Amino acid sequence: MASISLRRVLARHSRALRELHSASSPAASVGADTPLTYFSAWFCPFAHRATIALEHHHIPYDWQESLGWTVRPSTVGEDGRSEEAAYHWKSPELIAANPAGMVPTLRDPASGRVVKESLVAVEFIDDLAAERGSSTPSLMPGDAFGRAHARVWAPWVNAKCCSPYYSVLCKQDRAEQREAFDDLVHNLRTFSRELKGPFFYGEHLSLVDIALLPWAARFYVFEHYRGADFAVPRDGELAKYHTWLEAALAMPAVSSTCPGHDEYIEHIKKYATNSARSKVANAVRRGVGAHEYDDDKDA
């Protein structure tokens, strides 16, 4: 049985899927040569999911850098560690397209229709590629049962393997950091056991792989900010995880879209020092998982 928190995430995912099906109706199809307006942010792993899918399928897009940071006196989640905090700046164009101000957000410039939520965006991009006759392998299994399986596993990966990333970084108590990291490693072992080949379903990249990849490609920050004992182990079952990661990082759609190491280390410092006031960081400070963020409570 799914936990209450995971059911909430699945409900939000389902709402976005319903919007996707509406946006994918024949009347709303995007012209093959029309670039999608892509509201994104270079540092955001959620947006990175959509970027990988766009590059995988060679879908043209017009990148709009839409998130930044501004430093001002802290007014929420006071923790005694910093007199100032970093708050998201969001472009007016992003807010107009998606009032929640979240990336990735994709917009058809002709119709103005919008697709949001990162995992839904990946499915949308895959559907759009199929409509355009793409010869690139689909990111979804070829049968209905397989696609249903992927739609269960991708949110599980999001909650169990991506969300703990923010707990390891935002929590300042060493024991809580360790607990979050150990939980992550346990869940990565589960992920490893499910791998059918170099990728989750075998030879080709999938929605489930893309759900985890942006975070897996950033786990190096743990060693930098939390120490060498926070490196993901390479023993036993996790050998398959590292083989998977190496295969994924070798793909141009992944390697060419990862942020620079030093630039990202500097960016993520605001999370490691608990001065970031993003929705996911605020959710962790509130005592819930990053995937359980609330648009109102954690704004």
Side-chain angles (χ1 to χ4, degrees), residues 76-246:
V76 296
E78 300 292 350
D79 49 34
R81 293 186 55 83
S82 175
E83 294 181 356
E84 293 185 322
Y87 293 82
H88 269 315
W89 168 87
K90 302 179 180 186
S91 74
E93 293 80 8
L94 169 62
I95 296 298
N98 180 358
M102 304 295 280
V103 296
T105 293
L106 296 164
R107 186 181 66 195
D108 172 19
S111 68
R113 292 199 176 194
V114 167
V115 176
K116 53 194 177 183
E117 294 286 341
S118 61
L119 295 176
V120 174
V122 172
E123 283 201 58
F124 167 77
I125 292 162
D126 199 56
D127 287 344
L128 187 61
E131 284 184 6
R132 295 179 176 183
S134 173
S135 60
T136 307
S138 174
L139 297 169
M140 295 295 286
D143 65 287
F145 282 102
R147 290 190 292 274
H149 185 269
R151 290 178 182 130
V152 170
W153 269 93
W156 183 91
V157 165
N158 185 62
K160 301 296 186 179
C161 300
C162 304
S163 188
Y165 174 83
Y166 300 98
S167 295
V168 175
L169 291 173
C170 294
K171 291 181 181 296
Q172 301 302 298
D173 179 81
R174 191 68 174 177
E176 291 182 339
Q177 294 167 1
R178 189 76 234 178
E179 181 182 7
F181 181 74
D182 289 345
D183 184 49
L184 167 62
V185 170
H186 172 78
N187 295 329
L188 289 177
R189 292 187 191 279
T190 300
F191 176 83
S192 295
R193 288 195 295 271
E194 293 295 321
L195 290 169
K196 302 298 189 294
F199 299 112
F200 194 79
Y201 288 112
E203 295 300 315
H204 300 299
L205 196 67
S206 75
L207 171 70
V208 181
D209 299 296
I210 292 177
L212 177 56
L213 264 172
W215 284 264
R218 290 163 168 80
F219 285 161
Y220 60 81
V221 304
F222 294 153
E223 294 174 78
H224 184 89
Y225 285 109
R226 298 293 177 249
D229 58 335
F230 280 75
V232 176
R234 292 180 170 271
D235 63 299
E237 292 172 324
L238 286 172
K240 289 180 65 178
Y241 161 79
H242 286 285
T243 299
W244 165 84
L245 181 58
E246 289 166 8

